[in-house]
Amino acid sequence: DTAVSQTPKYLVTQMGNDKSIKCEQNLGHDTMYWYKQDSKKFLKIMFSYNNKELIINETVPNRFSPKSPDKAHLNLHINSLELGDSAVYFCASSQVGRGVAGELFFGEGSRLTVL
Amino acid sequence: GENVEQHPSTLSVQEGDSAVIKCTYSDSASNYFPWYKQELGKGPQLIIDIRSNVGEKKDQRIAVTLNKTAKHFSLHITETQPEDSAVYFCAASIGNQAGTALIFGKGTTLSVSS
């Protein structure tokens, strides 16, 4: 049973389109994240949500809007896609205590290609 | 904000040799330092972690050391095997009572040849 699952696994779209990536975790964790991995493998934090509340937003353009309907789901919606948005997007979850970081469990990634 | 530097970016060793990857961090408030292994087409997976109140931790062939004063930590893999070939990432924690996250180094591609 997959702990952190993302859909779709692959996404190919044209510049200017709007797309969404969905993420669900069945670990009962309170915190979920979105990371972006570029072509050089660099993993960069985008957002962090704790119990549906946005905690961290790391200078991500407004075209990216995370939505957390409940603490098991964190979706990523991207408007007006640009070539530079091409990357692998990873969802992750973690059970952290107050101010205490812990292991992140990653999904398998969603590879977005913008043409 | 936190900045994590990782070296080397690529590392090639012969099977049975040891491999060492080093990282430095900038934020003295960081207190959690995990290492992740990422295989092709997969998400990163935790292989070992260390907290700031510990100087060294070992799990079979892998070990991590932490020097809080110098703000650096290292991953040591002994008796490397071809299946150790992957991209390895170090990370340091950021955050506060509201929430935490991990800032990653740029990764090391380890190749183990038999």
Side-chain angles (χ1 to χ4, degrees):
Chain A
D1 197 18
T2 306
V4 181
S5 58
Q6 301 178 224
T7 54
K9 192 171 172 67
Y10 298 98
L11 190 52
V12 180
T13 188
Q14 299 286 331
M15 260 195 322
N17 284 351
D18 302 338
K19 290 293 176 187
S20 293
I21 306 171
K22 296 186 176 182
C23 179
E24 176 182 5
Q25 54 98 1
N26 62 8
L27 297 167
H29 290 166
D30 288 333
T31 305
M32 295 185 73
Y33 308 83
W34 279 108
Y35 279 82
K36 179 181 180 181
Q37 187 170 47
D38 62 22
S39 57
K40 295 184 179 178
K41 301 286 186 186
F42 184 35
L43 267 170
K44 189 176 162 81
I45 177 84
M46 298 175 70
F47 301 104
S48 164
Y49 267 75
N50 183 281
N51 273 319
K52 303 193 297 175
E53 182 184 350
L54 179 65
I55 302 298
I56 293 172
N57 180 344
E58 285 289 311
T59 60
V60 178
N62 290 339
R63 298 182 297 103
F64 291 78
S65 53
K67 286 194 170 48
S68 182
D70 55 62
K71 74 173 194 177
H73 295 85
L74 180 61
N75 304 322
L76 183 65
H77 188 76
I78 315 169
N79 289 329
S80 304
L81 279 157
E82 300 177 357
L83 293 175
D85 297 332
S86 295
V88 181
Y89 291 84
F90 284 99
C91 177
S93 73
S94 180
Q95 185 62 35
V96 299
R98 286 191 167 274
V100 179
E103 178 181 358
L104 263 59
F105 292 79
F106 283 87
E108 295 279 275
S110 296
R111 180 177 291 277
L112 171 65
T113 302
V114 182
L115 303 175
Chain B
E2 175 69 282
N3 183 44
V4 179
E5 299 281 343
Q6 181 172 347
H7 299 280
S9 56
T10 60
L11 181 57
S12 296
V13 299
Q14 291 285 323
E15 185 177 0
D17 288 350
S18 294
V20 180
I21 304 171
K22 298 184 177 183
C23 288
T24 60
Y25 61 98
S26 60
D27 188 349
S28 57
S30 293
N31 56 22
Y32 176 66
F33 307 92
W35 287 87
Y36 282 78
K37 177 182 181 182
Q38 185 178 25
E39 296 176 336
L40 202 60
K42 302 277 189 186
Q45 279 198 300
L46 180 75
I47 54 170
I48 195 167
D49 56 11
I50 192 166
R51 295 197 181 269
S52 57
N53 57 348
V54 176
E56 186 172 356
K57 184 176 178 181
K58 191 173 180 181
D59 182 4
Q60 298 183 336
R61 296 187 298 109
I62 58 173
V64 58
T65 58
L66 170 66
N67 183 327
K68 278 223 75 176
T69 305
K71 296 203 196 80
H72 66 70
F73 55 116
S74 301
L75 177 72
H76 303 252
I77 307 174
T78 58
E79 299 171 29
T80 53
Q81 300 164 5
E83 50 266 38
D84 293 330
S85 297
V87 181
Y88 291 81
F89 293 95
C90 63
S93 62
I94 61 166
N96 50 39
Q97 296 289 334
T100 62
L102 295 179
I103 301 300
F104 286 85
K106 293 193 174 181
T108 297
T109 301
L110 173 64
S111 301
V112 181
S113 52
S114 53

